[in-house]
Amino acid sequence: MMEIFKLIGATLILSGIIFQFFGIYGIVVHRNFFVNLSLSSLIDSAGLFAILIGLIFYNGLNMASLKIGFIILLMLLLNPLSNHILGRGAYLSNYHPQRRAKK
Amino acid sequence: MLDLLFPFFVGCGLLFLFLLVKGPSIWDRLLFLNLFFIFMLLTIIVYALMVEIDYLLDIAIVYALLGFIGIVFTARFIQRKGKI
């Protein structure tokens, strides 16, 4: 029975890493700030939560998993807020990055 | 399996540190700092699970909160040009 949970955890962690890899590749390629902002929220939400939920499955139900669950709840609230504040601050202080010339 | 995760997160953190230094404007730097906090948070959690020490996860919780507050007030400070 425990092997199934570890398997579910491992697949969740792998999917989280794949999401993060797409986000990181996109951030390295794109120079535009607002595109990077949406990619960073992809990394925050899709990658982070899949990995943390996978760690809970992988670790079984004990005290550590309770703390990881609390971190998940915390990140659920804080990450969208920090991305919004960054985007709003950049837009209001009229930071408009120039479109990169197509090669 | 956790031993494979650990270098990946540390590597991503270092990549974002490099991008932070290179970032064209201050807003990009704040964004990369935010992502650096996320990967450091994941590194702390995976390390805590590797060495089976529970109180390291409390440090991860405090780290997440402080990272968020740091980002919010730095962005506010920059946006209002010093007058919070």
Side-chain angles (χ1 to χ4, degrees), chain A residues 70-87:
Chain A
F70 184 63
I71 287 176
I72 286 178
L73 280 181
L74 213 59
M75 281 290 124
L76 206 59
L77 296 172
L78 296 186
N79 276 334
L81 198 54
S82 70
N83 279 326
H84 163 69
I85 283 170
L86 275 181

Side-chain angles (χ1 to χ4, degrees), chain A residues 8-69:
Chain A
I8 294 173
T11 48
L12 272 172
I13 288 173
L14 192 65
S15 66
I17 283 184
I18 287 170
F19 275 124
Q20 283 190 343
F21 184 74
F22 285 153
I24 289 170
Y25 176 72
I27 279 183
V28 169
V29 166
H30 282 287
R31 281 289 163 269
N32 187 347
F33 170 73
F34 294 101
V35 173
N36 286 354
L37 201 62
S38 66
L39 285 172
S40 95
S41 67
L42 162 75
I43 286 180
D44 284 350
S45 51
L48 186 77
F49 293 145
I51 284 177
L52 288 184
I53 293 171
L55 281 176
I56 284 185
F57 271 104
Y58 189 79
N59 203 6
L61 288 180
N62 51 23
M63 196 54 190
S65 303
L66 182 69
K67 287 176 184 171
I68 293 179

Side-chain angles (χ1 to χ4, degrees), chain A residues 70-71 74-75 78, chain B residues 37 41 44 55-70:
Chain A
F70 184 63
I71 287 176
L74 213 59
M75 281 290 124
L78 296 186
Chain B
F37 281 143
L41 178 74
I44 295 172
Y55 56 79
L56 285 184
L57 287 168
D58 306 338
I59 294 175
I61 292 174
V62 172
Y63 186 81
L65 278 170
L66 288 182
F68 167 69
I69 288 171

